[in-house]
Amino acid sequence: MKKTVVLYPGLAVSHLVPMMQLADALLEQGYAVAVAIIDITNEHNLPFAAAVDRVAASMPSVTFHTLPRIQDPPVVTSDVRFLLGYSELVRRYNEHLGEFLRSMPPRSVHAVIMDSSMSSAALDVTKEVGIPAYIFVAWSASALAVSLQVPWIRTEGQLSFKELGDSPLDLFGVPPIPASHLFRETLEDPKSEVYQAMVNSFCKYFEANGILVNTTDSLEARALGALKDPRFLPRGEFTMPPVYSVGPLVEKAGETTKEKHECLAWLDKQPEHSVVFLCFGSLGFHTEDQLKETAAGLERSGHRFLWVVRAPPRGNTFAVYGEPDLDTLLPEGFLERTNGRGLVVKRWAPQVDVLCHEAVGAFMTHCGWNSVQEGIMAGVPMLCWPLYAEQKMNKVFMVEEFGVGVDVVGWQQGLVKAEEVETKVRLVLESEQGERLRARVTSLKEAAASAWKDAGSSRAAFGQFLLDLANLGMEQGRA
């Protein structure tokens, strides 16, 4: 009987995709892979359902098991209470996850690898069933290092994160982080339910048998070193599980679509490194006022651009973005005036294919970790415009630690002006500083590309994970 690893992905495209890359690595090592999926298909999250269908169709060697739907699932809002709704949703599926694991042949499941967003609930299931559990972190090791220090950063009587504002926090393993750049809305009130839920979720990580992080030693040596340093945690209360850096787990060019997207044909006609690509993730959006400011800045810059535009959602639930009305959302006459020099794509573009195209010279991004790594793997310097979650921290790492991007000023105040868009586009595409950014990101690209080759750091870390897992299985077999 083949050794089986069960994957339990998070409920977002950006978490599903890298975990499926990890599935490929497990298959190559002779493991059987089963994926337990929470079916949340409804009008609010069709992109995730579509991504599940796509990867299931492209990976016939992997078994996909959809857990039975629960009655009256809790509403997951996009506001500060997101974590509470999400955690309750996952917790309600614990019974079905346990049933699925027990239904598999005895001792056939060697491990469950769960997304970090599922761990606060699902670790209870694996402990009860008696299966080793590993957490997969789809974000940076630097953000992980910050998150695991959150329970000890503020003590009773100290100023809250909200009161600290932009004051820098001096944390182990990362450059100084403004307090406002942490999970600000979630951590504003230390006495709130959502604050306690987030702290508890981070503390839950210490119950795992190990943590796999989608990163490379060459990119995040400082943070990875901190996570493995005995001084990282306060003495006595918690023990840090092993950390394995197994990135970059990103899609390769040509994997997202079978047919060539219209934007790629347009890029074929543009000069090398002449286009700025603007894309803000699977959930990112801007207000109508911000879209108009961005358009004005692009027009004034005089540079070529490829811009993915979504309509702002309605309400505070995660919603499918309707077809954007570009004539309403963008300045009057903008599309006509920039015709030929720019291309606006509605809702989606094949990001990896675009970034790897030789015509692309800059990437304006929301700083989601998948996008950061895709930009690095394509050798493209970035304009950093974070929107939510850990992206504000990623911006700091990208600018201050990795040296691959510049800050787009104004996002923290709620509106990036046209002048700022124009200035930063010109800086990256025209200036010597832009050339230095390109040289730096090219160097990191080359280092990351070797991580999974023979003797590469990620291949070695993955091999160590498999060895530790095998040893753990033998220990349990003797018990």
Side-chain angles (χ1 to χ4, degrees), residues 142-170:
S142 300
L144 174 64
V146 172
S147 300
L148 295 185
Q149 293 177 76
V150 162
W152 298 279
I153 296 174
R154 314 260 35 91
T155 57
E156 190 73 27
Q158 287 186 313
L159 294 176
S160 67
F161 291 113
K162 181 178 181 179
E163 292 168 324
L164 285 170
D166 291 333
S167 300
L169 298 172
D170 188 15

Side-chain angles (χ1 to χ4, degrees), residues 332-346:
E332 185 177 355
F334 169 76
L335 294 174
E336 292 76 17
R337 292 190 300 273
T338 59
N339 185 37
R341 177 166 67 83
L343 179 65
V344 177
V345 176
K346 296 180 180 180

Side-chain angles (χ1 to χ4, degrees), residues 88-105:
E88 176 61 15
L89 175 68
V90 176
R91 186 192 65 77
R92 295 268 301 276
Y93 273 92
N94 273 3
E95 181 179 350
H96 294 316
L97 176 63
E99 291 170 351
F100 170 60
L101 294 176
R102 292 186 184 93
S103 72
M104 303 183 77

Side-chain angles (χ1 to χ4, degrees), residues 166-384:
D166 291 333
S167 300
L169 298 172
D170 188 15
L171 303 175
F172 201 25
V174 296
I177 303 282
S180 61
H181 285 32
L182 269 66
F183 305 92
R184 171 70 180 273
E185 296 82 4
T186 307
L187 297 175
E188 280 190 348
D189 181 5
K191 298 180 181 178
S192 70
E193 183 182 6
V194 69
Y195 182 102
Q196 292 303 320
M198 177 154 275
V199 169
N200 291 340
S201 71
F202 291 147
C203 290
K204 199 77 172 176
Y205 282 46
F206 304 116
E207 297 181 15
N209 293 98
I211 301 174
L212 294 89
V213 190
N214 184 17
T215 192
T216 58
D217 289 6
S218 57
L219 182 62
E220 295 196 272
R222 180 179 179 184
L224 289 166
L227 289 167
K228 298 172 184 179
D229 193 309
R231 299 168 295 171
F232 180 71
L233 296 178
R235 287 182 178 274
E237 189 170 359
F238 293 102
T239 300
M240 189 70 195
V243 175
Y244 311 93
S245 50
V246 294
L249 298 170
V250 298
E251 288 187 311
K252 300 174 181 62
E255 286 186 345
T256 53
T257 56
K258 293 181 180 179
E259 297 181 3
K260 188 169 184 176
H261 194 279
E262 61 170 329
C263 69
L264 299 174
W266 181 83
L267 285 172
D268 289 342
K269 302 173 184 177
Q270 312 308 318
E272 186 179 62
H273 296 164
S274 65
V275 176
V276 56
F277 174 50
L278 299 87
C279 190
F280 297 89
S282 57
L283 295 175
F285 68 91
H286 290 122
T287 64
E288 184 175 336
D289 287 344
Q290 183 60 79
L291 291 172
K292 285 181 165 60
E293 285 287 332
T294 303
L298 291 172
E299 185 173 359
R300 292 179 196 175
S301 76
H303 282 284
R304 294 172 173 83
F305 62 87
L306 172 57
W307 184 13
V308 180
V309 171
R310 295 192 184 90
R314 295 179 296 274
N316 70 340
T317 57
F318 288 107
V320 172
Y321 304 99
E323 191 75 4
D325 182 351
L326 300 182
D327 291 330
T328 299
L329 294 172
L330 303 180
E332 185 177 355
F334 169 76
L335 294 174
E336 292 76 17
R337 292 190 300 273
T338 59
N339 185 37
R341 177 166 67 83
L343 179 65
V344 177
V345 176
K346 296 180 180 180
R347 298 173 64 173
W348 181 87
Q351 179 166 291
V352 174
D353 294 353
V354 169
L355 289 171
C356 291
H357 198 288
E358 62 181 10
V360 174
F363 179 26
M364 187 173 286
T365 173
H366 67 312
C367 305
W369 190 239
N370 278 349
S371 292
V372 174
Q373 293 203 101
E374 289 165 3
I376 290 173
M377 293 303 293
V380 178
M382 287 168 265
L383 298 93
C384 305

Side-chain angles (χ1 to χ4, degrees), residues 55-125:
V55 297
S58 65
M59 304 181 75
S61 299
V62 175
T63 301
F64 286 80
H65 175 83
T66 301
L67 300 178
R69 286 196 170 203
I70 60 173
Q71 295 294 318
D72 302 318
V75 175
V76 181
T77 63
S78 59
D79 59 16
V80 68
R81 295 182 65 82
F82 165 80
L83 178 65
L84 298 179
Y86 188 101
S87 298
E88 176 61 15
L89 175 68
V90 176
R91 186 192 65 77
R92 295 268 301 276
Y93 273 92
N94 273 3
E95 181 179 350
H96 294 316
L97 176 63
E99 291 170 351
F100 170 60
L101 294 176
R102 292 186 184 93
S103 72
M104 303 183 77
R107 296 191 178 277
S108 65
V109 180
H110 281 239
V112 175
I113 302 177
M114 61 187 68
D115 185 79
S116 57
S117 65
M118 317 295 273
S119 60
S120 61
L123 279 169
D124 293 337
V125 178

